[in-house]
């Protein structure tokens, strides 16, 4: 879909797909995530949502691809807890490096310790 842009609203813990060129454009979908600091810095996606009228247009995949691109630019890992992101990463191993088990464990503990992250 070429009429979308993806914005990282890190202060809100959202990666948002919205109408291109419109600051308050319609939201087509988003990934909810948090930033883990220890044992290393990582982006931890916990939930992916695409509005029903926009499903099947590749928006969720575009969001995940951008999440991994952001992590690569920042030289940090992605520790996916969102089932969609886990499945996407398995289908795109060249774009989605596998997080080490200790990082995944830390992400799960952080989420369990603070359910508001979800």
């Amino acid at each position: 879909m070429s009429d979308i842009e993806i914005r990282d609203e890190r202060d809100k813990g959202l990666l948002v797909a919205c109408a291109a060129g419109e600051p308050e454009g319609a939201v087509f979908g988003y990934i909810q995530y948090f930033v883990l600091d220890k044992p290393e810095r990582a982006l931890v996606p916990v939930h992916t949502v695409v509005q029903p009228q926009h499903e099947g247009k590749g928006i969720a995949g575009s969001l995940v691809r951008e999440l991994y691109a952001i992590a690569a630019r920042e030289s940090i890992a992605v520790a996916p807890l969102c089932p969609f992101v886990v499945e996407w990463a398995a289908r795109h191993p060249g774009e989605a490096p596998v997080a080490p088990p200790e990082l995944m464990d830390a992400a799960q503990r952080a989420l369990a310790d603070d359910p508001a992250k979800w």
Side-chain angles (χ1 to χ4, degrees):
M1 231 179 129
S2 61
D3 56 342
I4 67 166
E5 68 180 61
I6 298 177
R7 291 192 312 252
D8 185 6
E9 298 181 1
R10 190 151 312 179
D11 59 323
K12 297 176 185 173
L14 295 172
L15 190 62
V16 180
C18 56
E22 299 179 33
E24 298 299 320
V27 172
F28 301 143
Y30 61 88
I31 291 178
Q32 182 179 353
Y33 74 97
F34 64 93
V35 178
L36 184 69
D37 289 317
K38 294 180 183 179
E40 65 181 89
R41 195 160 170 83
L43 301 180
V44 183
V46 293
H47 194 50
T48 301
V49 173
V50 174
Q51 299 303 321
Q53 67 270 32
H54 297 292
E55 290 177 353
K57 298 178 181 177
I59 292 170
S62 294
L63 283 162
V64 178
R65 184 170 275 117
E66 180 61 18
L67 182 80
Y68 275 94
I70 290 168
R73 287 192 299 269
E74 296 179 13
S75 298
I76 60 177
V78 174
L81 298 181
C82 168
F84 179 83
V85 177
V86 170
E87 290 175 16
W88 187 94
R91 289 190 316 270
H92 300 86
E95 296 177 72
V98 176
E102 60 274 5
L103 186 58
M104 293 301 299
D105 290 345
Q108 289 170 340
R109 280 193 308 276
L111 186 58
D113 290 346
D114 185 0
K117 290 179 178 358
W118 164 245

